[in-house]
């Protein structure tokens, strides 16, 4: 009976946590798809964009993925292991991208590929190593007369994103900085954003200003809310919304994170240190029950992330209700200006825009 339970456990593990998408057994290395996904996760978790995961960033990552804090001893053990086995994997600044990839390679080689799958699924990945459609296309309904706008937390996220990649602090995103910002998005999704500077406020170099950057996404939210949510999923909004260190970047605070509270429910005893050693001492039935629990958590985390993504937008009241009340809470309005060429249409729009800005000051 014991062998039967273990057989079921291994069979279920093979289905829930397939090795092939993660690891090339012949070459004994991570697959290109897995590397690409983990690099994207590393970039999102590197909230100060310095190329390293600091102790605080690793703690936030641990809490986000496994819902328990990373103890100082566990953090020390992980870093020591990487330092001993992966030259260049750890520096005084933190865990490097090379070290991050090595950790997951080690987990898989020790038979703990469910750890890597837990991380991937927390960030929306399916068994095909792509962000699942359930994750990037959450369902919502916009009633007639209503419109969509970016929520306050969505605005905070965009400001944090701008601060993170505006490396020279000039208030604009250069071509190189914008490319870095979009590095977590698939290449076939970039055309919509890379042309941003053609129709938003720019500096003399043609680089999008913060005002232009925000206006671009506000327009996208109004006209194509599904596209906005898709980009927010790729850019890491759900990690920001979960209570990671990102809020510190909103105000340009890249060095101090003491005021940030990390969130997460204690649902599992997994952490990056404990998964270094293969599970032992459990019976087959206990292992089977453990993986049933893991499946439930994986499904639950996808649902939570799906709901979190919807917090990036708000749906306004019906415009007819606003007309009756003679007031509105909308901040984005869609206007069409008709006229012959060179009669001053752009001047009218700019004038109205500047008038609205003065009203808000």
């Amino acid at each position: 009976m014991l062998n039967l339970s273990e057989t079921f456990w291994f069979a279920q593990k093979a289905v829930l946590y397939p090795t092939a998408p993660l690891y090339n057994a012949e070459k004994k290395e991570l697959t290109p798809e897995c590397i690409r996904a983990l690099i994207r996760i590393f970039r999102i978790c590197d909230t100060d964009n310095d190329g390293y995961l600091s102790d605080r960033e690793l703690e936030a990552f641990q809490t986000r993925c496994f819902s328990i804090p990373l103890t100082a001893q566990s953090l020390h053990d992980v870093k020591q292991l990487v330092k001993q086995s992966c030259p260049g994997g750890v520096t005084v600044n933190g865990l490097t991208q090379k070290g991050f990839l090595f950790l997951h390679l080690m987990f898989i080689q020790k038979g703990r590929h469910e750890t890597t799958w837990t991380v991937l699924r927390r960030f929306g990945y399916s068994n095909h190593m792509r962000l699942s459609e359930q994750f990037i296309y959450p369902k919502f309904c916009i009633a007639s007369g209503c419109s969509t706008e970016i929520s306050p937390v969505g605005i905070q996220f965009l400001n944090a994103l701008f601060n993170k990649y505006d490396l020279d602090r000039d208030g604009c995103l250069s071509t190189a900085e914008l490319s870095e910002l979009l590095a977590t998005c698939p290449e076939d999704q970039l055309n919509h954003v890379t042309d941003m500077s053609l129709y938003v406020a720019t500096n003399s170099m043609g680089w999008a200003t913060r005002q232009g950057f925000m206006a671009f996404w506000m327009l996208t939210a109004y006209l194509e809310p599904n596209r906005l949510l898709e980009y927010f999923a790729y850019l890491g909004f759900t990690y920001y919304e979960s209570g990671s260190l990102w809020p510190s970047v909103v105000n340009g605070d890249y060095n101090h994170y003491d005021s940030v509270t990390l969130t997460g429910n204690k649902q599992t005893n997994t952490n990056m240190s404990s998964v270094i050693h293969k599970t032992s001492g459990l019976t087959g039935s206990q292992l089977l029950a453990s993986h049933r629990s893991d499946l439930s958590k994986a499904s639950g985390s996808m649902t939570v992330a799906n709901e979190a993504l919807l917090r990036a937008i708000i749906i306004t009241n019906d415009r007819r209700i606003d007309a009756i009340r003679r007031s509105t809470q909308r901040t984005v309005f869609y206007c069409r200006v008709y006229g012959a060429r060179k009669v001053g249409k752009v001047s009218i729009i700019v004038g109205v825009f500047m008038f609205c800005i003065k009203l808000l000051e």
Side-chain angles (χ1 to χ4, degrees):
M1 188 64 184
L2 177 62
N3 291 336
L4 182 60
S5 296
E6 289 181 345
T7 299
F8 274 114
W9 172 67
F10 283 114
Q12 188 178 46
K13 182 177 180 180
V15 173
L16 298 182
Y17 310 110
T19 305
L22 305 179
Y23 185 67
N24 187 320
E26 292 184 1
K27 297 182 179 180
K28 297 182 179 180
E29 62 186 22
L30 299 174
T31 63
E33 295 79 10
C34 182
I35 291 174
R36 188 159 50 247
L38 291 174
I39 288 177
R40 172 182 170 268
I41 292 171
F42 181 92
R43 284 176 172 271
I44 291 172
C45 297
D46 179 19
T47 55
D48 57 6
N49 198 30
D50 66 349
Y52 305 92
L53 293 184
S54 66
D55 290 356
R56 299 305 297 272
E57 287 168 339
L58 281 171
E59 290 170 5
F61 169 79
Q62 163 74 21
T63 303
R64 174 70 176 89
C65 294
F66 303 106
S67 301
I68 59 172
L70 187 65
T71 65
Q73 184 60 49
S74 296
L75 180 59
H76 174 76
D77 292 344
V78 169
K79 293 171 72 173
Q80 280 298 112
L81 178 68
V82 175
K83 185 180 296 184
Q84 294 170 4
S85 307
C86 179
V90 176
T91 71
V92 293
N93 296 315
L95 187 70
T96 65
Q97 186 181 103
K98 180 180 179 181
F100 185 73
L101 293 175
F102 167 77
L103 268 180
H104 287 280
L105 176 63
M106 181 194 62
F107 294 154
I108 295 167
Q109 289 178 337
K110 287 183 174 290
R112 294 305 305 268
H113 41 282
E114 64 268 24
T115 302
T116 298
W117 272 120
T118 298
V119 172
L120 290 169
R121 285 170 179 158
R122 286 287 184 180
F123 282 84
Y125 285 91
S126 68
N127 284 5
H128 302 291
M129 299 306 298
R130 295 189 297 269
L131 293 187
S132 69
E133 292 194 0
Q134 177 189 358
F135 176 70
I136 60 178
Y137 300 120
K139 295 181 180 179
F140 63 98
C141 180
I142 305 173
S144 176
C146 300
S147 63
T148 49
E149 297 183 7
I150 302 177
S151 67
V153 70
I155 295 293
Q156 291 176 4
F157 170 69
L158 289 174
N159 274 308
L161 202 63
F162 190 96
N163 287 339
K164 178 178 178 178
Y165 290 98
D166 181 21
L167 299 179
D168 55 8
R169 306 292 182 266
D170 64 348
C172 300
L173 290 178
S174 67
T175 303
E177 289 170 342
L178 184 59
S179 296
E180 279 292 304
L181 186 151
L182 297 173
T184 58
C185 302
E187 292 184 5
D188 59 355
Q189 299 290 330
L190 299 183
N191 291 339
H192 178 72
V193 184
T194 50
D195 295 335
M196 177 190 304
S197 60
L198 297 178
Y199 30 79
V200 300
T202 63
N203 66 1
S204 59
M205 301 287 290
W207 300 343
T209 63
R210 182 187 297 271
Q211 184 184 70
F213 180 77
M214 300 299 289
F216 171 82
W217 292 111
M218 288 179 180
L219 180 64
T220 303
Y222 187 94
L223 298 178
E224 301 178 278
N226 285 304
R227 185 190 288 270
L228 176 89
L229 293 178
E230 181 181 4
Y231 274 105
F232 269 37
Y234 288 128
L235 293 170
F237 172 78
T238 55
Y239 188 70
Y240 172 90
E241 198 276 338
S242 70
S244 67
L245 301 181
W246 276 69
S248 296
V249 187
V250 174
N251 298 317
D253 182 2
Y254 294 87
N255 300 311
H256 304 289
Y257 303 104
D258 294 339
S259 62
V260 180
T261 302
L262 303 180
T263 62
N265 298 322
K266 295 186 178 180
Q267 298 175 336
T268 175
N269 293 323
T270 305
N271 62 57
M272 289 192 293
S273 178
S274 65
V275 297
I276 292 173
H277 306 288
K278 191 173 182 179
T279 303
S280 61
L282 295 179
T283 66
S285 59
Q286 287 173 324
L287 290 170
L288 183 60
S290 171
H291 278 273
R292 282 174 178 163
S293 175
D294 288 345
L295 175 61
S296 175
K297 290 169 188 172
S299 176
S301 66
M302 186 70 73
T303 301
V304 170
N306 182 273
E307 294 173 351
L309 190 58
L310 286 175
R311 297 190 188 109
I313 60 172
I314 56 176
I315 299 176
T316 65
N317 290 330
D318 189 322
R319 66 171 66 92
R320 290 167 295 187
I321 296 177
D322 289 345
I324 294 172
R325 294 175 177 174
R326 294 190 176 183
S327 66
T328 183
Q329 294 183 335
R330 297 188 185 205
T331 59
V332 179
F333 299 89
Y334 183 61
C335 305
R336 294 184 180 182
V337 179
Y338 296 93
R341 295 183 62 185
K342 298 183 179 181
V343 297
K345 297 189 296 295
V346 174
S347 298
I348 293 174
I349 295 173
V350 172
V352 172
F353 176 76
M354 295 306 298
F355 175 74
C356 293
I357 291 294
K358 289 183 179 180
L359 289 179
L360 294 174
E361 290 178 349

